[in-house]
Amino acid sequence: MEKILVSLYCSSAAALLFTITLIILTLHNYSRTGPGIQKEIEKKFGYYVVFALTRLAAWLFVIFFLTSLPGSIAAYSLSKLTALIEFNFITGLSCCLISTTLVTTYFFLHQLLYTPGTIQLSFQYRFSRLFVIWKILSPKIISGIKFSLTSLLSGTSVIALFLAIEENNTLLVLYILALAGLYAYIYYATIVTEPAIAKASSQTKPNVIMIGSDTLRHDRLGGSNYHRNLTPNIDKLSANGLRLDKCITPVARTAPSIASLFTGLWPHNHKIRDNYPSLADCKLPQPSLIDILNEQGYLTACISDWCGADFAKLSFNFKEISVAEDQWNIKLLLRQGPSLIRNVLSLFTNNTLGKRFLPEFYYLAGVPLIRSLSRECRQLIAHSAKNSQPFFINLFTSATHVPFNSEYPYYNLFTPKDYKGESRFIMTRLASAEEIIKKQEKTSEFFDIPQIINLYDSCVKQFDDEVGKIIDYIEKSDLSDNTIVIIYSDHGADFFETGCWGQGNTLVGNDPSGRIPLVMKGPGVPGGVNFKPTTRSIDVMPTLLDLLNIPIPTTLDGVNLIPYVKAQTSPELFAFQETGIWLGKIPGLHPEQILYPNIVELLDIPDKKSGTLVVNEKHYPTVIRAKSRSVQNEKWKLIYIATYTKPVYQLYDLENDPYRDVIESHPDIFAELKKLLDSHIESDPLFESAN
């Protein structure tokens, strides 16, 4: 019993030392995730800061305790094998400290090779200092370190077990066996396996699988004259299906965009106008696509990472949902803790146990989860295919979202081998809201644009490869003939084509952030069609309902595109857009543009119990009033810019000169489009009250 107590005391002391050290270092450099809010508001959550830090300290202690226990067992073995070492508290503590250091170092090196950008997300020092170590690493070296470490720790445990048996120390034998069982459980609980091919049962209705990537640009798909072949799997799907070549989202921000996609409504009708909707507005005003499919007997499910939290926040009503919790919530942001603790805990949480016990770190913004999500999607397909019930699965991933963090070996695909800049693995210095705001205010000269594009393209390539795995699984499961597959995005991205980076900040010219990729293939979908006319994301829901032979509600703003696609005629639609909430003073804004308070003053937490961040109601009218609006068809785009005096209009010829204002030379086009745009703006019930 004495040896067991010494083991536990040593491991506890080592865990406590590591935990206290991290907490002390953290207090000297505290920085939480998420946007800034007013200090007086944040002070009201002081109690939650204490709770969050206590919770994080407890989890640090647990992890350090588990990683140090093998050290105490090793100390016992060494004391029996040599007379030079005595098994006491000092020896045990030393071995425990070494054990935790070795295990943590392994996890750090593993992450440094496979997802170095994840370390860089919260790294407070020059990340280029780690390049020397990174260059040495390879999968073979990591596997070798893992094998050596596992052999060392398990070998000393086996020796300790035999020594305890020799001593006839039954309690110690049971203790060592219990530890071995615990570590075996942890090891096997974190192993993920590919689902077996599940042959589909007979189904009378088509299945639907939607695969989306946040911030995926339309021009990265094949056929767009891009110089890199990034999407062969999506292109194969497109060649045999339908591609909407010019599909426009009404707001290039996630929450309002997916709200329009899944309701078929303009933003002023579903009321989600930005990424910070109130709890009342999260209750959608009419049944969504998911509600309708639920009524039709579908199993509806959603899988996503941090970027898809809105699928649970908004009342889409999926029957099964596996997504992160609301990312715009002060309690979540506080639970994610300061940067140093995030760095350490994220080393151990990118697995099923992390998802279960520390989901705020598993779903940490910027961490690539596309492989895990893709596998989870295939597992769900396997499970659903065995039933006669038709299924609808929505997979939405942040694979192509800033900071453009991809996994090994993708982040190396396009980056020059001799590149030594800070953007080697991710678009840098985006760890805090303040850094994001400062960067949003910078012009292109501040950025390494070619390298950022290299990183982005790497992310696109990884997304396409995972799409290929899902498509391959669908085909092997004999589901292809009865499954509609849709590839989509919520919005694209600006790489300074409009004067700034990001999305939804301005509507200037042929804004790439407002145009989304949309590909469909499956039963009833016209094959081999690249549909050129202007379409809108609000048209996807009625089009899909028609393909599923489900009545289309008459209250939708979108239209069914299938008749036009089959007839190869243009529906002659006009796409309307509005800007989202920009962070900071964005380059490219009109000099007389109406501005609203900065993000710190703009956000409020009216419901302290929930902790949800929303736009302060006293500033909301200004936000609505400050929005730029636009209308476009295949050739022309008219933009309305709100100023403090009267609106400023800009007209762009999308076919011939997409970024030059030609309003002076086309007064007749301006007059025609102005009537349409003014009518759309006037239909916004909040616009009049904001003016």
Side-chain angles (χ1 to χ4, degrees):
M1 187 65 181
E2 179 184 352
K3 292 181 175 64
I4 296 174
L5 290 175
V6 171
S7 170
L8 294 174
Y9 288 152
C10 293
S11 298
S12 298
L16 195 60
L17 278 173
F18 277 113
T19 302
I20 290 174
T21 301
L22 275 179
I23 294 296
I24 291 173
L25 291 174
T26 286
L27 294 177
H28 282 286
N29 191 18
Y30 184 92
S31 65
R32 65 165 175 82
T33 57
I37 56 175
Q38 295 181 58
K39 293 298 181 183
E40 55 267 28
I41 297 176
E42 192 159 9
K43 283 180 181 179
K44 294 180 180 178
F45 289 88
Y47 73 96
Y48 204 83
V49 174
V50 176
F51 162 76
L53 285 176
T54 302
R55 179 175 176 273
L56 292 174
W59 275 111
L60 286 171
F61 179 85
V62 168
I63 290 172
F64 290 142
F65 180 76
L66 291 173
T67 56
S68 66
L69 273 173
S72 64
I73 301 300
Y76 167 72
S77 299
L78 291 172
S79 70
K80 291 296 181 180
L81 295 174
T82 174
L84 299 176
I85 297 177
E86 181 182 352
F87 184 57
N88 55 30
F89 180 78
I90 298 300
T91 303
L93 176 61
S94 300
C95 288
C96 286
L97 293 172
I98 293 171
S99 175
T100 293
T101 301
L102 289 174
V103 173
T104 304
T105 299
Y106 163 73
F107 277 99
F108 176 79
L109 294 177
H110 185 280
Q111 194 170 89
L112 183 60
L113 174 65
Y114 287 101
T115 55
T118 299
I119 296 176
Q120 193 172 358
L121 284 172
S122 301
F123 204 68
Q124 295 295 306
Y125 311 98
R126 287 191 63 187
F127 196 74
S128 55
R129 296 172 181 173
L130 297 176
F131 283 6
V132 175
I133 302 173
W134 170 78
K135 287 181 179 179
I136 300 171
L137 297 176
S138 69
K140 187 177 289 187
I141 289 175
I142 294 297
S143 296
I145 295 173
K146 180 181 180 180
F147 176 79
S148 301
L149 192 58
T150 304
S151 299
L152 175 64
L153 297 178
S154 59
T156 55
S157 297
V158 170
I159 294 171
L161 180 62
F162 279 109
L163 292 171
I165 293 173
E166 267 189 7
E167 285 185 355
N168 199 26
N169 191 334
T170 305
L171 283 177
L172 186 57
V173 169
L174 293 175
Y175 174 69
I176 295 172
L177 289 174
L179 289 182
L182 173 63
Y183 292 120
Y185 165 76
I186 292 173
Y187 178 77
Y188 285 106
T190 56
I191 291 178
V192 288
T193 57
E194 283 294 323
I197 301 299
K199 296 300 181 181
S201 60
S202 59
Q203 295 172 331
T204 58
K205 298 179 180 180
N207 306 303
V208 182
I209 298 175
M210 295 184 67
I211 308 172
S213 184
D214 198 319
T215 322
L216 178 62
R217 285 174 61 124
H218 73 95
D219 61 2
R220 279 351 188 229
L221 273 60
S224 302
N225 297 320
Y226 193 61
H227 66 284
R228 288 171 175 159
N229 180 22
L230 301 176
T231 59
N233 295 296
I234 297 175
D235 297 343
K236 182 180 177 182
L237 199 74
S238 177
N240 298 308
L242 166 65
R243 176 176 176 180
L244 302 183
D245 186 68
K246 192 180 288 184
C247 188
I248 309 298
T249 185
V251 183
R253 291 295 167 89
T254 301
S257 177
I258 63 172
S260 286
L261 186 70
F262 284 84
T263 64
L265 300 175
W266 295 117
H268 64 260
N269 287 331
H270 60 59
K271 299 181 181 179
I272 308 298
R273 312 296 290 273
D274 50 66
N275 283 341
Y276 315 99
S278 67
L279 294 178
D281 285 341
C282 287
K283 178 65 176 175
L284 298 172
Q286 66 184 52
S288 69
L289 171 65
I290 311 308
D291 290 315
I292 293 174
L293 294 178
N294 287 337
E295 292 177 358
Q296 293 291 323
Y298 276 76
L299 169 65
T300 56
C302 183
I303 301 167
S304 188
D305 49 22
W306 65 272
C307 73
D310 292 317
F311 283 106
K313 185 177 181 179
L314 306 182
S315 62
F316 292 123
N317 299 320
F318 289 92
K319 289 181 180 177
E320 294 185 13
I321 193 154
S322 176
V323 304
E325 63 181 293
D326 178 22
Q327 298 294 288
W328 305 115
N329 187 291
I330 187 63
K331 291 184 176 180
L332 169 74
L333 303 176
L334 291 174
R335 287 204 313 277
Q336 289 177 336
S339 58
L340 183 58
I341 292 179
R342 288 198 301 276
N343 263 138
V344 174
L345 286 178
S346 64
L347 297 176
F348 301 94
T349 53
N350 190 21
N351 51 60
T352 52
L353 291 178
K355 181 180 179 181
R356 179 179 179 184
F357 294 107
L358 283 165
E360 60 268 48
F361 289 93
Y362 178 81
Y363 288 118
L364 192 64
V367 175
L369 290 178
I370 178 60
R371 281 178 176 155
S372 300
L373 296 178
S374 174
R375 189 185 302 110
E376 187 177 352
C377 180
R378 296 192 294 277
Q379 290 169 340
L380 185 55
I381 293 171
H383 171 74
S384 303
K386 297 176 182 178
N387 303 320
S388 58
Q389 182 182 18
F391 58 86
F392 174 96
I393 298 173
N394 175 48
L395 167 64
F396 188 70
T397 170
S398 63
T400 52
H401 192 285
V402 71
F404 313 134
N405 186 12
S406 60
E407 299 172 275
Y408 178 90
Y410 292 95
Y411 61 75
N412 271 332
L413 289 181
F414 307 113
T415 298
K417 291 183 178 180
D418 59 350
Y419 182 83
K420 298 179 181 179
E422 289 292 316
S423 291
R424 185 67 176 73
F425 306 111
I426 60 172
M427 188 174 176
T428 56
R429 299 189 184 94
L430 295 175
S432 69
E434 288 75 14
E435 289 176 336
I436 293 173
I437 291 171
K438 287 178 182 178
K439 276 208 164 185
Q440 288 258 254
E441 296 175 348
K442 300 293 185 180
T443 59
S444 59
E445 291 76 16
F446 180 81
F447 298 88
D448 189 348
I449 300 298
Q451 173 58 11
I452 290 171
I453 290 175
N454 289 336
L455 293 173
Y456 180 78
D457 289 353
S458 300
C459 294
V460 175
K461 178 59 179 169
Q462 183 171 14
F463 173 69
D464 181 76
D465 282 354
E466 294 302 326
V467 168
K469 293 177 185 177
I470 296 172
I471 300 301
D472 183 61
Y473 187 86
I474 292 170
E475 292 174 350
K476 290 179 179 177
S477 299
D478 294 335
L479 286 165
S480 294
D481 293 338
N482 196 42
T483 301
I484 297 173
V485 178
I486 301 175
I487 308 298
Y488 75 100
S489 182
D490 52 348
H491 52 74
D494 294 342
F495 291 135
F496 289 98
E497 293 93 342
T498 63
C500 63
W501 71 272
Q503 62 277 333
N505 295 318
T506 72
L507 304 173
V508 173
N510 194 15
D511 170 23
S513 72
R515 186 173 169 185
I516 65 172
L518 205 297
V519 174
M520 295 184 182
K521 179 184 178 296
V525 180
V529 178
N530 186 12
F531 196 59
K532 294 288 188 178
T534 296
T535 57
R536 299 83 54 92
S537 62
I538 61 170
D539 302 323
V540 174
M541 177 177 168
T543 300
L544 180 58
L545 289 176
D546 178 58
L547 292 170
L548 298 176
N549 198 28
I550 297 173
I552 301 172
T554 58
T555 54
L556 303 186
D557 294 323
V559 302
N560 174 20
L561 298 173
I562 295 301
Y564 301 100
V565 173
K566 288 181 176 179
Q568 284 292 286
T569 58
S570 174
E572 298 184 357
L573 299 172
F574 289 93
F576 297 97
Q577 286 183 276
E578 61 184 61
T579 51
I581 290 178
W582 53 81
L583 306 177
K585 192 174 181 180
I586 304 298
L589 291 181
H590 192 276
E592 299 176 22
Q593 180 105 30
I594 293 177
L595 301 177
Y596 41 73
N598 63 46
I599 198 73
V600 174
E601 296 180 40
L602 189 64
L603 296 182
D604 191 15
I605 307 175
D607 186 341
K608 302 301 184 291
K609 185 177 180 180
S610 72
T612 299
L613 290 160
V614 302
V615 177
N616 191 311
E617 61 178 9
K618 72 178 181 181
H619 297 308
Y620 196 70
T622 304
V623 170
I624 298 299
R625 184 185 173 205
K627 282 177 176 285
S628 293
R629 320 282 183 120
S630 71
V631 60
Q632 71 182 88
N633 57 12
E634 282 91 305
K635 181 172 175 57
W636 300 100
K637 182 176 185 179
L638 179 67
I639 301 175
Y640 161 104
I641 300 172
T643 72
Y644 291 101
T645 53
K646 61 180 181 179
V648 172
Y649 291 89
Q650 295 175 349
L651 181 67
Y652 295 92
D653 182 343
L654 300 178
E655 292 181 350
N656 299 312
D657 201 350
Y659 291 102
R660 184 172 69 91
D661 182 9
V662 294
I663 195 168
E664 295 296 333
S665 54
H666 296 279
D668 53 337
I669 301 295
F670 164 62
E672 179 185 346
L673 293 181
K674 183 177 182 298
K675 289 180 182 178
L676 290 171
L677 184 54
D678 287 348
S679 176
H680 183 77
I681 293 173
E682 289 166 5
S683 68
D684 181 353
L686 294 179
F687 180 78
E688 288 300 323
S689 61
N691 284 274

